[in-house]
Structures are given as C-alpha cells and as structure tokens.
Amino acid sequence: MPFRTPIKHCRNCGQGVVYRVPDDGDTRERAVCPACGTIHYENPLNVVGTVPYWGDQVLLCKRNIEPRWGKWTLPAGFMELGETTLEGAERETDEEAGAQVEMGELFSVISVPRVGQVHLFYLARLLSDRFDPGHETLEARLFAEHEIPWDEIAFKTVRETLLRYFDDRRRGSFGVHNLHVT
C-alpha cells in the first residue's frame, strides 16, 4: 500500500521483516518476520463522525489542522481503540465542535481504498445551537443547504454524505448509504 510507510521491523521481536506471501494459504504479500514468523497485517483505519442537524441546518466545522486547514467538514476523526463506532463519532463531535447531540442511526459508510480508510457517519440531532469548538476547529457553524460553502468542503466523503443527507431529507426518509470514493 503506497499510502503508508512500510513496516520495517517485527512488532514482537524487533527483527527486520521481509515482504512475501506467507506460507499459511494467504494470497497477499505481507510483512513477515523471518526470526519469529509473525505475519503483520495492515488494515484500513476507521474515521467516525456525525451529520449534526438542527432543524433544516447542519453543523460544519472549519478545520484548524492539516490536511485542508481552513476548509469545512463534518465533525469526524479516527476511531480510538476500546470504543464503538457510535462512541467515537459522539466523542469527535464533542471534541471538534463542542456540540451536544442525541446520536441517531448510521447514515453513510464510505470506503476510501486509496488512503486505506473507511468513513462512517451517523445522524445526530443537536440538543442546542450553542457550540464550544476544540483546538482542531477554527469555527463551528450551522448551515442551511443553500448556504453550504460547497467549494470549501474539505473531503469528498463529507461532500457525498452531505449531498445524500439533503436528498434524503427532501424525500422524508433516511437510509444507509454504502459508497466509495477515489
């Protein structure tokens, strides 16, 4: 996978690894330790977030970090070990926007194979229209669909999620959207 630094040393014993197809019936090249035999699997990272809504508006955060500093996004970030996707999405919404929400259903699952990520967004009803953004956010603000700065959206996954949210809202029925972006 060209988007990550290759594994160089075994996490178990520290020996330098070699890349080859393991002898266990696997079909993919993996980092294999020639000393202890450990096979190191690399898996996608999960990004979890919300589509926080207040009436006909959604909450967006202006990024204060790279990548895409100064662009708008939904509150989201990497899932932590020991938490569920739902817990991670709620945590990220609090950390980035200082928004209190009532978590809803899973709304979009978006595979991003070129960067080894899967993005999961949940619907989240805002309990207040007051926000206290964290250090990763320059500004947290509500937008009606016609006000969204579409040319300033940070990520394709956020754009696709927002487009589907407003389409579903117009139809009066929300489903789960399983997508992929390049």
Side-chain angles (χ1 to χ4, degrees):
M1 295 180 173
F3 44 83
R4 290 201 187 136
T5 303
I7 296 170
K8 294 181 182 177
H9 297 92
C10 178
R11 292 183 197 114
N12 290 334
C13 72
Q15 177 74 30
V17 299
V18 295
Y19 277 83
R20 66 174 175 79
V21 176
D23 300 329
D24 64 355
D26 200 339
T27 58
R28 293 181 178 237
E29 191 174 82
R30 312 279 185 190
V32 179
C33 178
C36 72
T38 298
I39 302 167
H40 298 278
Y41 297 92
E42 297 179 84
N43 303 107
L45 296 172
N46 293 320
V47 172
V48 292
T50 60
V51 181
Y53 61 91
W54 179 261
D56 66 348
Q57 299 175 304
V58 295
L59 174 66
L60 296 178
C61 298
K62 193 173 213 178
R63 291 177 62 82
N64 192 30
I65 57 172
E66 292 293 349
R68 311 237 177 30
W69 182 92
K71 302 288 185 184
W72 292 93
T73 189
L74 290 166
F78 290 110
M79 182 176 168
E80 299 287 347
L81 293 173
E83 67 185 4
T84 67
T85 56
L86 188 83
E87 290 167 344
E90 187 172 18
R91 174 186 51 76
E92 286 290 342
T93 302
D94 181 45
E95 286 178 5
E96 293 190 5
Q100 300 308 305
V101 295
E102 177 184 305
M103 294 298 292
E105 297 297 317
L106 180 63
F107 180 71
S108 66
V109 178
I110 307 174
S111 298
V112 193
R114 72 176 174 79
V115 293
Q117 296 177 0
V118 178
H119 295 206
L120 299 100
F121 288 95
Y122 287 85
L123 296 177
R125 187 177 64 83
L126 287 161
L127 300 176
S128 167
D129 63 352
R130 300 183 58 91
F131 315 113
D132 184 22
H135 71 280
E136 294 182 2
T137 302
L138 291 168
E139 177 183 359
R141 189 173 131 206
L142 291 167
F143 291 89
E145 182 178 11
H146 70 277
E147 299 171 321
I148 291 179
W150 292 103
D151 292 338
E152 297 297 314
I153 298 297
F155 305 104
K156 289 180 185 178
T157 56
V158 169
R159 180 182 183 79
E160 293 299 321
T161 296
L162 286 169
L163 288 170
R164 279 157 183 81
Y165 172 79
F166 286 113
D167 283 347
D168 283 6
R169 183 173 164 68
R170 275 190 290 282
R171 280 199 325 267
S173 176
F174 292 92
V176 177
H177 300 274
N178 190 350
L179 314 164
H180 86 276
V181 299
T182 55

